[in-house]
Amino acid sequence: MRRLFILSSIFLLLFFTHALPGADKNSQFGGLRFRSRYHSIEERTQLDLTRQSPFICQNNFRLTFDLAIARHSVFGYIFRLRHISQHTLELIFHPSLPESPNAFLKVILNGRQILAKLAVPKNKLADARWHTFDINLNLTDKLIRLSFLNDSLQHHLSGMPRQAKEWQLVFGSAPGLQPPITDIPCFSIRNVRVCTDEKNNFRWPLNESMGNRAIDLKQGRLAYIKHPQWLSPNHYYWEKAGSLKTHTRSGVAYDVDSNLFWIVEKDRLRAFDPNTAQTRKVSLNHSQPFLPNKKIRAFYSAHSQKLKAYQPEAGRIRTFDFHRSRWSAFDKEQKYRNEYQHHNLVFDPVSRNYYALSGYGYYTYKNHLRQYDSLAHSWSRIPYENRSLYPRYLSGTGHLKDSEFLVFGGRGNEEGLQELHVRNFMDLHLLDLAAKKAKLLWKDSLNSHHLAPVRSLIPFEKQNQFYALLYNPEKENTHLRLYQISLKTPEIQAVSDTIPYIFKDVLSDADLFYDSQNQRLFAYTQHRLTNDSSLLNIYSLRFPPGLACLQPVAQSSIFKDWTALLILSVWGLASLGAMCFLLLKMISSVSERSDSPDMENKDETLPRQPAANCLRIFGPFQAFDSSGNDIAKLFTPKLKETFMMILINEVYYQKGLTSDKLIEHLWPFSPREKAQNTRSIAIKRIRTILENIDGLSLVFEDNMWSLKISKPFPAISSTSAKS
């Protein structure tokens, strides 16, 4: 029976590791991002693992951690390992020439000798993906072993004292050390593990969401951080990168190569860097390249690596020449007719042609497909097969593959006439520009989502999903929110917080961009302040989006129903946690007799005796009442989601949530009366559960729901460490 239980546990572990979304290392959440050259020396990040006390090690020292390099063109120190006798080992990221395919990780001994060098292919660093770095120092045999990606090496360790005892370990900036460390690459780390003499294990997941300390799960050792940038909350909460005033109806383009926003105005050009929030002006050789009071549409052409812009209906798509600091010619005699406002522009990489779809003008909605003639600098309508892509504007488009594009949602009607009833389309089409055909993929026959997308969609064909930034076009003071949407069925799930958006139809503008190199999403909003000025706001969000403790992101092909998946995931993880606990308890005697404990096998040890009267919110969700009973099972998926929403908002924003905000986040598409009843039931059940925990209660004060913490409740733990 015991053997059957162990085999069942292992099967469940393998199943959830490979089948569930988010099991891949690069889809996990958490980590610490280091501020580097884009911040002043005083604001750069430091992680000190030995401020409390040094590591004690005489024979063997092993360090492993997950490493992600955001930019492979920035030099700097990743960590310094320093012996009390002033001997040092430093890991440096060293860029190479732009034309070289490799960058390098170098281990420097005592600041004078390149002890080891690992070549790192730049294409392996794309998308800021996580890879495990492993360094093992054998002080007895004077050997050092390194491994990263699929490369490993062993080198003789000369110049180090035998049986060195006390060690200090610092990641990132260390201006106070001698010699000081101030050059920091653009990197992030997580899952830092240290093993000394094969018996003292430490592990810092670095999955905190705020604060200047991180806790070791093994022995409770504290690590101290200066100027941290925690990655966990940045996957759900949009962060404002900057704001600036622009001329009315200016164009905004995101340059994926230089990570800059270009603001194209009637008589000037500016660049905004979202990393530094700095803006610089580009001098122009002519005073007015665009006509005033006409909307400018700007975009960055990735295939030609050029900044382009046009004014709808003006004919010519213009290119900016950075060497001559001027735009290409424009059509002075062109008559401006606003027939296609809020249309969609796409570039077909196969035919290398630009196409425009849909739009609004002169009280009519359009579903016209137009092609741009780059020689004549003019647009012409082309026929295409279409049975269900009705006239509309305010649609979203995204490149799927080859000549295929997604067309999602919009606002219009079957007849295309504004005087007839206008409605929001909640449908998804596949537009094949090679076949000149539009095909309906799905539609929401109930039309229950009164939402419209911004212009750009972010598709992921392999995951059968795309991301869209949606808002309610029937309100002026509305908000944008990121949604994950299925390519196959009308399944929609909110995966971010909201962005304020003032929607005034053709006088407003917003869009969404994906920075694959740095794993970020960008969004901007623009609305008119006066007849001559507008306000531009730019926001960023870490990718993949979503709350780490509430919902997975990537969708496995074996699951089609997200509700069932969420319930199964929570149930499975809870069951798995219980099984692992009992399994470890059964084999504990074997583990204790092991003569050569392995760092990896011991890493995931769970506490044998659960604490009383506490919550643990990272890793498997755990809740214990004042008597030590496990009450986590009382939290259904929706109750846990409601509780975590209140908790995270209070921790992150230091304030509670209103009832309307709870409904907006958790039941956005339910009828108002039904959502209010559901929310009331959820609140009542959470309050009942918390009655079993002393010192923790859910209260309603100042029209907001918040958690009230008092003695004897100790804390809300972010770990599953031993109590």
Side-chain angles (χ1 to χ4, degrees):
M1 186 68 182
R2 178 175 297 183
R3 181 176 301 175
L4 178 61
F5 176 78
I6 295 175
L7 290 175
S8 301
S9 303
I10 295 174
F11 170 78
L12 268 178
L13 176 63
L14 293 174
F15 174 79
F16 280 99
T17 299
H18 296 286
L20 282 181
D24 178 75
K25 179 188 297 184
N26 287 284
S27 65
Q28 298 172 11
F29 291 83
L32 177 65
R33 181 173 62 198
F34 284 70
R35 293 180 174 180
S36 61
R37 58 181 280 186
Y38 301 104
H39 297 81
S40 67
I41 292 176
E42 294 79 13
E43 294 179 334
R44 295 178 186 177
T45 304
Q46 177 192 93
L47 170 64
D48 189 346
L49 300 183
T50 49
R51 175 180 163 185
Q52 192 174 24
S53 61
F55 292 120
I56 305 301
C57 175
Q58 294 183 338
N59 302 308
N60 189 274
F61 184 92
R62 184 179 181 187
L63 168 67
T64 67
F65 55 91
D66 292 341
L67 173 66
I69 303 292
R71 289 192 175 187
H72 49 67
S73 60
V74 181
F75 169 88
Y77 292 77
I78 294 176
F79 71 75
R80 174 182 286 177
L81 181 63
R82 181 173 178 267
H83 182 246
I84 194 172
S85 64
Q86 307 300 319
H87 292 278
T88 61
L89 276 178
E90 295 162 332
L91 179 66
I92 292 177
F93 180 76
H94 197 290
S96 57
L97 296 175
E99 60 269 18
S100 174
N102 295 327
F104 297 94
L105 286 173
K106 297 181 179 181
V107 177
I108 309 298
L109 177 62
N110 296 328
R112 298 179 179 179
Q113 178 187 355
I114 300 177
L115 190 64
K117 181 171 70 173
L118 286 174
V120 181
K122 292 179 181 178
N123 60 357
K124 296 291 186 180
L125 301 178
D127 300 337
R129 297 183 69 81
W130 294 99
H131 302 284
T132 299
F133 179 86
D134 190 337
I135 181 171
N136 195 335
L137 305 180
N138 187 326
L139 301 173
T140 303
D141 298 333
K142 296 283 188 175
L143 291 176
I144 179 173
R145 298 182 179 89
L146 303 175
S147 68
F148 186 67
L149 294 172
N150 295 321
D151 196 8
S152 61
L153 59 84
Q154 179 175 296
H155 199 279
H156 183 65
L157 186 62
S158 59
M160 275 286 182
R162 287 185 178 274
Q163 294 186 335
K165 192 173 183 181
E166 295 185 0
W167 296 85
Q168 295 176 331
L169 179 58
V170 175
F171 285 82
S173 174
L177 295 183
Q178 292 299 324
I181 298 176
T182 56
D183 292 323
I184 310 299
C186 298
F187 75 103
S188 303
I189 62 171
R190 67 183 184 192
N191 292 334
V192 179
R193 306 177 186 187
V194 174
C195 181
T196 59
D197 293 335
E198 298 186 351
K199 59 183 180 181
N200 294 319
N201 289 306
F202 308 90
R203 182 191 172 203
W204 291 267
L206 299 181
N207 56 11
E208 284 76 8
S209 60
M210 63 183 301
N212 296 308
R213 296 187 298 176
I215 190 168
D216 151 47
L217 299 188
K218 297 297 183 180
Q219 302 185 37
R221 175 190 282 256
L222 290 178
Y224 294 85
I225 306 98
K226 294 181 180 179
H227 309 295
Q229 285 190 302
W230 297 110
L231 297 180
S232 293
N234 294 340
H235 288 267
Y236 185 79
Y237 295 98
W238 289 95
E239 179 181 358
K240 181 178 284 190
S243 297
L244 60 157
K245 287 187 178 181
T246 67
H247 290 162
T248 300
R249 313 200 75 183
S250 301
V252 181
Y254 176 63
D255 181 345
V256 295
D257 294 319
S258 60
N259 192 29
L260 293 174
F261 279 87
W262 293 103
I263 297 94
V264 181
E265 300 169 273
K266 62 180 181 180
D267 55 3
R268 65 179 176 180
L269 175 65
R270 290 184 288 170
F272 174 81
D273 187 339
N275 291 311
T276 63
Q278 298 297 315
T279 305
R280 63 180 175 88
K281 184 178 179 180
V282 179
S283 299
L284 299 179
N285 284 338
H286 42 74
S287 60
Q288 188 170 299
F290 293 94
L291 294 182
N293 301 321
K294 302 295 181 182
K295 175 61 183 173
I296 300 173
R297 289 284 296 272
F299 61 95
Y300 179 78
S301 175
H303 81 281
S304 64
Q305 297 183 325
K306 292 182 178 179
L307 177 64
K308 296 177 178 289
Y310 68 102
Q311 291 179 290
E313 303 301 313
R316 188 184 298 264
I317 294 179
R318 306 169 63 193
T319 303
F320 187 75
D321 187 335
F322 284 94
H323 296 290
R324 301 173 63 188
S325 294
R326 63 183 302 163
W327 290 96
S328 57
F330 74 105
D331 304 316
K332 295 182 179 179
E333 303 301 325
Q334 177 72 37
K335 292 183 179 180
Y336 282 75
R337 298 183 60 193
N338 294 323
E339 292 189 40
Y340 294 95
Q341 299 182 75
H342 279 305
H343 65 275
N344 296 95
L345 179 74
V346 299
F347 174 75
D348 179 9
V350 178
S351 67
R352 295 186 175 274
N353 289 320
Y354 289 98
Y355 292 87
L357 179 70
S358 303
Y360 166 82
Y362 292 98
Y363 315 108
T364 59
Y365 308 106
K366 315 290 196 310
N367 58 355
H368 303 156
L369 180 63
R370 298 176 293 142
Q371 181 177 336
Y372 179 68
D373 187 330
S374 58
L375 297 178
H377 305 295
S378 62
W379 295 88
S380 60
R381 286 177 54 182
I382 59 174
Y384 70 108
E385 183 180 340
N386 172 35
R387 297 183 179 180
S388 55
L389 187 59
Y390 297 121
R392 65 189 69 192
Y393 76 136
L394 301 177
S395 298
T397 54
H399 182 225
L400 190 63
K401 64 177 181 179
D402 301 329
S403 296
E404 296 180 352
F405 292 81
L406 298 178
V407 182
F408 173 66
R411 189 167 170 81
N413 54 43
E414 287 81 349
E415 296 78 11
L417 301 176
Q418 185 177 352
E419 60 264 30
L420 301 181
H421 181 65
V422 63
R423 67 184 182 93
N424 296 313
F425 292 108
M426 185 58 63
D427 54 14
L428 181 65
H429 287 81
L430 181 67
L431 177 63
D432 189 337
L433 293 175
K436 300 296 187 290
K437 180 180 180 180
K439 174 186 176 182
L440 178 67
L441 296 181
W442 56 256
K443 68 175 180 178
D444 180 5
S445 57
L446 299 178
N447 196 27
S448 57
H449 309 301
H450 300 287
L451 300 170
V454 300
R455 285 194 303 274
S456 299
L457 311 175
I458 312 296
F460 289 88
E461 183 188 16
K462 291 183 179 180
Q463 286 79 28
N464 287 317
Q465 65 189 25
F466 67 94
Y467 293 95
L469 202 57
L470 307 184
Y471 63 97
N472 187 345
E474 297 174 356
K475 294 182 179 180
E476 180 173 312
N477 293 309
T478 180
H479 60 261
L480 302 170
R481 195 175 188 189
L482 190 69
Y483 289 83
Q484 177 183 284
I485 305 173
S486 170
L487 291 178
K488 297 184 177 296
T489 57
E491 299 172 15
I492 177 171
Q493 181 181 23
V495 290
S496 83
D497 194 19
T498 58
I499 297 174
Y501 185 40
I502 298 177
F503 177 66
K504 294 185 177 181
D505 209 284
V506 297
L507 300 179
S508 300
D509 191 22
D511 210 352
L512 175 69
F513 307 99
Y514 176 45
D515 175 11
S516 61
Q517 180 179 354
N518 297 304
Q519 290 288 278
R520 287 186 297 181
L521 293 169
F522 286 108
Y524 79 81
T525 64
Q526 189 179 35
H527 66 272
R528 178 179 289 188
L529 295 176
T530 67
N531 290 334
D532 299 322
S533 65
S534 295
L535 179 64
L536 174 66
N537 293 312
I538 297 175
Y539 303 85
S540 67
L541 183 74
R542 298 296 300 178
F543 191 88
L547 278 174
C549 53
L550 296 184
Q551 51 206 10
V553 175
Q555 181 174 350
S556 174
S557 60
I558 65 172
F559 291 111
K560 297 184 178 180
D561 189 317
W562 268 104
T563 303
L565 172 58
L566 182 60
I567 295 174
L568 179 60
S569 299
V570 173
W571 172 84
L573 289 173
S575 301
L576 181 61
M579 285 185 175
C580 288
F581 176 82
L582 294 176
L583 175 61
L584 288 169
K585 187 174 181 179
M586 288 192 295
I587 65 175
S588 60
S589 58
V590 177
S591 299
E592 292 171 354
R593 292 196 302 267
S594 177
D595 294 329
S596 57
D598 182 74
M599 179 172 153
E600 298 296 332
N601 293 338
K602 293 173 62 180
D603 186 66
E604 302 299 332
T605 306
L606 294 177
R608 298 187 182 180
Q609 296 298 327
N613 214 61
C614 74
L615 295 175
R616 291 167 179 159
I617 62 175
F618 285 101
F621 178 82
Q622 295 178 302
F624 301 97
D625 65 14
S626 57
S627 300
N629 299 315
D630 185 356
I631 58 173
K633 60 181 179 293
L634 300 179
F635 287 88
T636 64
K638 183 56 72 172
L639 289 185
K640 183 166 70 171
E641 189 174 1
T642 306
F643 175 77
M644 294 302 301
M645 185 69 68
I646 297 172
L647 170 63
I648 291 176
N649 196 80
E650 183 169 304
V651 170
Y652 194 72
Y653 286 125
Q654 288 82 50
K655 65 179 183 179
L657 272 177
T658 64
S659 295
D660 288 342
K661 272 291 184 181
L662 276 176
I663 292 174
E664 177 186 307
H665 281 285
L666 302 175
W667 300 278
F669 308 123
S670 297
R672 182 71 180 176
E673 184 176 350
K674 181 179 179 181
Q676 289 176 334
N677 291 336
T678 306
R679 185 258 304 156
S680 298
I681 293 173
I683 290 294
K684 182 178 180 181
R685 290 179 178 175
I686 292 174
R687 282 178 150 177
T688 301
I689 295 173
L690 296 184
E691 288 176 358
N692 300 309
I693 301 178
D694 294 338
L696 181 64
S697 59
L698 180 60
V699 298
F700 187 70
E701 296 177 347
D702 298 327
N703 293 320
M704 287 189 176
W705 294 102
S706 60
L707 291 171
K708 185 176 182 180
I709 300 175
S710 60
K711 292 183 179 181
F713 189 78
I716 298 177
S717 171
S718 62
T719 73
S720 55
K722 292 182 179 181
S723 302

